């Protein structure tokens, strides 16, 4: 009898413990207030600054809605975005990376809402060169249904130190020869001609910036959108020329020493401290440059045909969004003249701002070269878009290229990865 | 008799939550991972069964083999070197520092050595990346100041030194763990043996080698097992510091698997890497446990 009691007690104890363990995972449904979940990446540049103001207006127009903002990072969404969008914690609206490996894949998997009806309803009338970043057919960017909308642009150009240029009598180079002559002159004068974070994204952008300076839009269509003749990336002349040139510049001492071990933050800080004449960098560095540069700076496009750049990250509405209409209303706010002009004045690269509405000199500084690139239809997208997983390969191979100068190895490593990753015809 | 069996039988119920958690969290995930390794899958949509194709590709993947080579190099940096150094430091702390400088100093040293274990790995990574930065980093700055410019290398930026740099960092992290275990092991030992040997004229090193080390076998085997397994599945330091680069100079299996899971979205291939890694770890762990039991039995 006693034994049975003991046994019963034990079994009961286990049952209680097991019950406690499982019950904690079952949570009751929250009270039914309408919650609008928004994600985007950075906090401290013109874009989120503008979006926050717009978000306040949205909140004002819909007092019954609780707006919940969460900050994500580019890397997190790049690596696990599809899984997040596919989960039950998917937001109602999120910033998302454009390209076949991210938005393309998600659209193919049915994770994104087709925005065409909203585009018609609100008369967005996006120009085709901007809409293409949000259009995907069978996961490939360039045409088809509209799954995302860029509300700003971005591009990679050369930041230069006006003081150093003036002191050494150097004019803004407009050809690659003039660029190399300028660097040789600076090097001879004991100035580091170019800041270069070879252990970071700068190496990826620099190689591509050089490659597209030799390319035309047919090449971009093939390399990025897989239209026309396929590119063999192990032997492609533009990419090889870019890799050769990077190595040549490195050997000539145009980059700071040990470039392959330098991280982007360090390189930017060095440039901002006036320790180098130039730096190839993205427009996302603009606001930091404005506040931290200890000298007058300017920007010019890498000499040549095309410029690394595109419409900015997309805003997408996940299929699992519970407030699609509200999300579209927010996108519409961002595309309005009011917020496009606000963005431009905050120093962002607005796509549809009125030039006369932009008074801020910093905004002009970055906006004018971008306008030139847009006008000559020279935006060449970004190097890592065509195939999933290309970026880490380009980075590690680019770092190695700077450390050992082995162009053949670079072409083989990155080219084979590209060739095997491109969609089979 | 039957009473006894019956009584102990009820204890199995207590294992239920643990077993259930293991089966769902570990066993289930592992089985699913093995299933995925036979598929071509991009993480969304329907997996496509392709049999052993991923494993065939793996055999011919140069990076995969390089990554395993690096994992074994990490066994030196995370297991062998920290065990050896940890044993030495623990003995010094226990026999000399505690004896001549008092417990306070020895406790302080033990805690200091353990601090790297407590600091979050991303913080450690940023700290070391900064220290190892070739032009502005503190290590190279000091080397240049004391006239050793030739030793101020591009630590993480070239293949020849990237692995070495990571290894030094790992030794710095791991040594705290081994020291703490060995010091606690030393305090467990019977002091009479040591004193008797001392009276018989044995030197410190003789006593350390012949009396202390054999008595520390249980600690040694635990430390070697845990650190070896940690070395083979190392991920964090590589992720934070080098991303496997330059080239594939610091590529390791866990990062290689992650790379295919999340970057190339060849989830099946990443799963195949993870499966092979899990198999090797299991075999190795069983081997080490067997060895431990055999050593324990002969003593």
């Amino acid at each position: 009898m006693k034994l049975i009691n003991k046994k019963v007690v034990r079994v009961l104890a286990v049952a209680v413990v097991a019950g406690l363990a499982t019950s904690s995972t079952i949570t009751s449904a929250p009270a039914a207030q309408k919650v609008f979940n928004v994600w985007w990446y950075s906090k401290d540049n013109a874009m989120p600054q503008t979006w926050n103001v717009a978000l306040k207006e949205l909140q004002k127009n819909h007092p019954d809605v609780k707006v919940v903002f969460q900050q994500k990072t580019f890397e997190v969404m790049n690596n696990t975005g599809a899984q997040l969008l596919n989960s039950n914690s998917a937001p109602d609206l999120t910033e998302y990376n454009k390209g076949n490996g991210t938005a393309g894949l998600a659209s193919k998997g049915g994770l994104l809402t087709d925005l065409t009806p909203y585009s018609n309803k609100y008369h967005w009338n996006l120009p085709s060169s901007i809409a293409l970043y949000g259009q995907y057919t069978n996961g490939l960017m360039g045409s088809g249904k509209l799954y995302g909308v860029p509300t700003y642009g971005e591009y990679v150009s050369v930041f230069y130190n006006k003081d150093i240029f003036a002191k050494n009598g150097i004019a803004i180079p407009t050809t690659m020869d003039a660029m190399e002559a300028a660097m040789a002159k600076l090097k001879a004068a004991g100035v580091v001609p170019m800041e270069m974070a070879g252990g970071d994204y700068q190496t990826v952008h620099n190689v591509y910036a050089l490659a597209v300076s030799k390319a035309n839009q047919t090449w971009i269509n093939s390399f990025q959108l897989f239209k026309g003749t396929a590119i063999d990336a192990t032997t492609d002349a533009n990419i090889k020329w870019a890799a050769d040139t990077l190595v040549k510049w490195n050997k000539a001492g145009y980059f700071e020493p040990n470039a392959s071990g330098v991280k982007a933050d360090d390189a930017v800080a060095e440039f901002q401290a006036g320790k180098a004449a130039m730096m190839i960098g993205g427009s996302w560095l603009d606001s930091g440059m404005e506040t931290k540069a200890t000298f007058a700076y300017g920007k010019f496009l890498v000499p040549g045909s095309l410029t690394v750049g595109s419409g900015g990250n997309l805003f997408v509405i996940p299929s699992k969004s519970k407030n699609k209409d509200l999300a579209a209303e927010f996108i519409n706010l961002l595309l309005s003249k009011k917020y496009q002009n606000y963005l431009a004045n905050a120093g962002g690269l607005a796509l549809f701002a009125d030039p006369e509405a932009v008074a801020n000199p910093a905004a002009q500084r970055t906006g004018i070269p971008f306008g030139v690139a847009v006008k000559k239809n020279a935006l060449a997208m970004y190097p890592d878009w065509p195939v999933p997983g290309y970026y880490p390969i380009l980075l590690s191979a680019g770092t190695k290229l700077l450390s050992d100068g082995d162009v053949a190895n670079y072409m083989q490593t990155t080219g084979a990865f590209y060739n095997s990753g491109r969609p089979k015809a | 008799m039957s009473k006894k069996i019956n009584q102990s039988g009820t204890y199995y119920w207590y294992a239920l939550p643990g077993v259930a958690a293991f089966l769902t969290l570990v066993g289930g995930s592992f089985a699913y991972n093995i299933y995925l390794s036979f598929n071509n899958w991009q993480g969304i949509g329907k997996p496509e069964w392709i049999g052993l194709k991923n494993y065939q590709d793996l055999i011919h993947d140069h990076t995969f083999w390089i990554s395993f080579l690096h994992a074994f190099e990490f066994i030196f940096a995370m297991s062998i070197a920290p065990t050896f150094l940890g044993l030495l430091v623990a003995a010094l702390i226990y026999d000399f520092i505690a004896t001549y400088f008092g417990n306070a100093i020895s406790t302080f040293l033990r805690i200091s050595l353990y601090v790297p274990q407590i600091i979050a790995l991303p913080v450690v990574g940023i700290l070391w990346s900064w220290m190892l930065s070739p032009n502005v980093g503190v290590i190279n700055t000091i080397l240049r100041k004391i006239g050793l410019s030739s030793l101020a290398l591009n630590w993480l930026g070239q293949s020849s030194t990237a692995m070495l740099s990571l290894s030094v960092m790992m030794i710095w992290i791991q040594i705290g763990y081994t020291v703490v275990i060995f010091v606690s092991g030393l305090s467990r030992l019977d002091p009479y043996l040591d004193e008797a040997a001392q009276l018989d004229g044995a030197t410190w090193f003789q006593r350390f080698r012949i009396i202390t080390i054999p008595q520390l076998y249980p600690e040694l085997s635990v430390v070697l097992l845990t650190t070896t397994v940690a070395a083979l599945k190392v991920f964090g330091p590589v992720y934070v510091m080098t991303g496997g680069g330059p080239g594939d100079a610091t590529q390791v299996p866990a990062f290689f698997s992650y790379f295919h899971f999340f970057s190339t979205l060849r989830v099946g291939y990443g799963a195949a890497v993870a499966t092979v890694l899990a198999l090797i770890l299991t075999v190795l762990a069983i081997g080490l446990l067997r060895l431990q039991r055999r050593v324990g039995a002969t003593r």
Side-chain angles (χ1 to χ4, degrees), chain A residues 15 18 24 58 77 108 117 123 155 167 186 243 254 295 324 351:
Chain A
S24 63
L58 187 81
M77 290 304 278
K108 196 176 163 189
H123 309 291
Y155 72 121
K167 206 175 140 197
L186 287 162
Y254 294 165
F295 48 84
K324 292 182 182 171
L351 295 168

Side-chain angles (χ1 to χ4, degrees), chain B:
Chain B
M1 189 61 199
S2 72
K3 214 172 159 184
K4 228 175 184 177
I5 288 167
N6 195 1
Q7 202 171 346
S8 66
T10 63
Y11 282 107
Y12 286 118
W13 285 97
Y14 287 94
L16 186 67
V19 169
F22 178 82
L23 284 180
T24 51
L25 295 176
V26 180
S29 310
F30 189 54
Y32 187 53
N33 185 69
I34 292 175
Y35 162 74
L36 283 180
S37 73
F38 295 116
N39 284 275
N40 179 18
W41 192 42
Q42 291 205 303
I44 49 179
K46 262 208 159 139
E48 173 204 351
W49 184 267
I50 52 167
L52 288 169
K53 174 96 175 36
N54 284 328
Y55 291 94
Q56 283 164 357
D57 288 354
L58 212 54
I59 290 171
H60 299 112
D61 192 331
H62 172 73
T63 314
F64 173 71
W65 294 109
I66 288 271
S67 74
F68 266 101
L69 186 71
H70 293 151
F72 284 98
E73 285 178 41
F74 267 118
I75 292 182
F76 176 80
M78 292 177 65
S79 182
I80 295 169
T83 302
F84 179 76
L85 290 171
L87 196 57
L88 207 66
V89 171
L92 284 175
I93 288 178
Y94 192 76
D95 287 348
F96 286 107
I97 312 272
T99 316
Y100 296 110
F101 297 93
N103 271 330
I105 300 276
S106 89
T107 309
F108 173 77
L109 280 176
R110 263 157 50 198
I111 293 173
S112 307
L113 285 167
Y114 198 70
V115 165
Q117 287 274 322
I118 301 169
I119 306 174
L121 198 57
V123 179
V124 170
I126 291 168
L127 195 74
W128 276 80
S129 292
W130 172 69
M131 292 201 303
L132 292 166
S133 178
N135 301 327
V136 294
V138 69
I139 291 176
N140 281 0
T141 306
I142 290 175
L143 286 172
R144 288 195 189 99
K145 282 257 161 72
I146 59 174
L148 293 173
S149 299
S150 56
L151 288 181
L153 301 172
N154 187 0
W155 299 108
L156 293 172
Q158 56 188 18
S159 306
S160 51
T161 49
M163 196 67 195
L164 176 77
S165 306
L166 277 189
S167 298
V168 170
M169 182 184 91
M170 289 322 295
I171 292 174
W172 176 80
I173 293 179
Q174 291 288 82
I175 204 167
Y177 169 68
T178 58
V179 165
V180 164
I181 299 227
F182 289 139
V183 168
S184 79
L186 286 168
S187 61
R188 167 183 68 81
L189 303 188
D190 185 353
Y192 293 121
L193 269 176
D194 199 63
E195 278 167 23
Q198 202 170 358
L199 287 176
D200 289 341
T203 65
W204 177 82
F205 187 69
Q206 282 172 329
R207 281 179 280 129
F208 178 67
R209 195 169 55 86
I210 296 164
I211 295 173
T212 310
I213 291 184
Q215 289 193 90
L216 280 178
Y217 275 152
E219 281 82 5
L220 271 168
S221 60
V222 165
V223 161
L224 279 173
L225 177 68
T226 51
T227 53
T228 303
V229 169
L232 285 175
K233 65 191 182 84
V234 66
F235 172 82
V238 172
Y239 177 78
V240 179
M241 300 278 287
T242 62
D248 45 24
T250 55
Q251 190 61 264
V252 289
F255 189 81
F256 186 61
S257 170
Y258 165 87
F259 169 66
H260 282 296
F261 259 101
F262 293 112
S263 294
T264 67
L265 300 170
R266 289 176 70 194
V267 172
Y269 196 61
V273 178
T275 305
V276 172
L277 181 61
L279 281 177
I280 290 180
L281 280 176
T282 311
V283 169
L284 205 83
I286 291 173
L288 278 170
L289 283 172
R290 282 245 169 107
L291 191 73
Q292 178 187 346
R293 212 169 293 151
R294 198 179 307 156
V295 171
T298 54
R299 282 177 59 231

Side-chain angles (χ1 to χ4, degrees), chain A residues 165-380:
Chain A
F165 266 44
K167 206 175 140 197
N168 293 281
I170 290 169
I172 292 177
T174 52
T175 64
M176 203 46 88
D177 288 343
M179 179 97 174
E180 291 188 341
M183 289 197 289
K185 196 170 175 186
L186 287 162
K187 170 76 185 163
V191 180
V192 176
M194 178 87 70
E195 225 16 273
M196 173 67 173
D200 223 322
Y201 64 81
Q202 281 188 358
T203 181
V204 181
H205 287 160
N206 280 25
V207 174
Y208 191 63
L210 290 169
V212 300
S213 80
K214 287 272 182 190
N216 55 27
Q217 288 291 355
T218 313
W219 188 86
I220 301 294
N221 273 329
S222 174
F223 183 75
Q224 293 275 0
L225 306 175
F226 310 115
K227 289 175 180 160
T229 325
I231 279 176
D232 178 0
T234 57
T235 56
D236 180 76
N238 292 333
I239 300 174
K240 180 154 189 320
W241 180 83
D244 281 331
T245 305
L246 193 83
V247 170
K248 183 173 85 179
W249 289 3
N250 192 34
K251 282 190 177 145
Y254 294 165
F255 301 137
E256 64 173 317
N258 301 317
S260 65
V262 178
K263 297 283 177 195
D265 286 350
D266 290 341
V268 172
E270 294 267 288
F271 179 77
Q272 285 168 345
K275 291 191 177 158
M278 289 180 272
M279 179 178 70
I280 295 181
S283 49
W284 53 88
L285 298 174
D286 285 340
S287 59
M289 207 64 77
E290 204 54 43
T291 51
K292 287 178 195 146
T294 52
F295 48 84
Y297 78 92
K299 296 178 72 165
F300 63 87
L301 299 175
V302 175
S305 49
L306 303 184
T307 296
V308 183
S310 71
N313 293 332
L314 304 170
F315 268 109
V316 299
I317 306 181
S319 300
K320 298 207 172 186
S321 166
K322 292 172 197 78
N323 297 296
K324 292 182 182 171
D325 291 345
L326 207 57
E329 191 181 327
F330 184 70
I331 294 177
N332 189 50
L333 271 182
L334 298 183
L335 291 171
S336 68
K337 272 278 181 283
K338 179 181 173 189
Y339 285 103
Q340 286 289 303
N341 288 341
Y342 189 104
L343 176 65
N345 267 308
L349 292 166
L351 295 168
F352 312 115
D354 301 314
E356 61 272 18
V358 181
N360 172 357
Q364 290 173 343
R365 192 164 14 243
T366 186
I368 289 171
F370 182 64
V372 171
V374 171
K375 212 167 229 170
K376 67 174 186 175
N377 194 26
L379 294 186

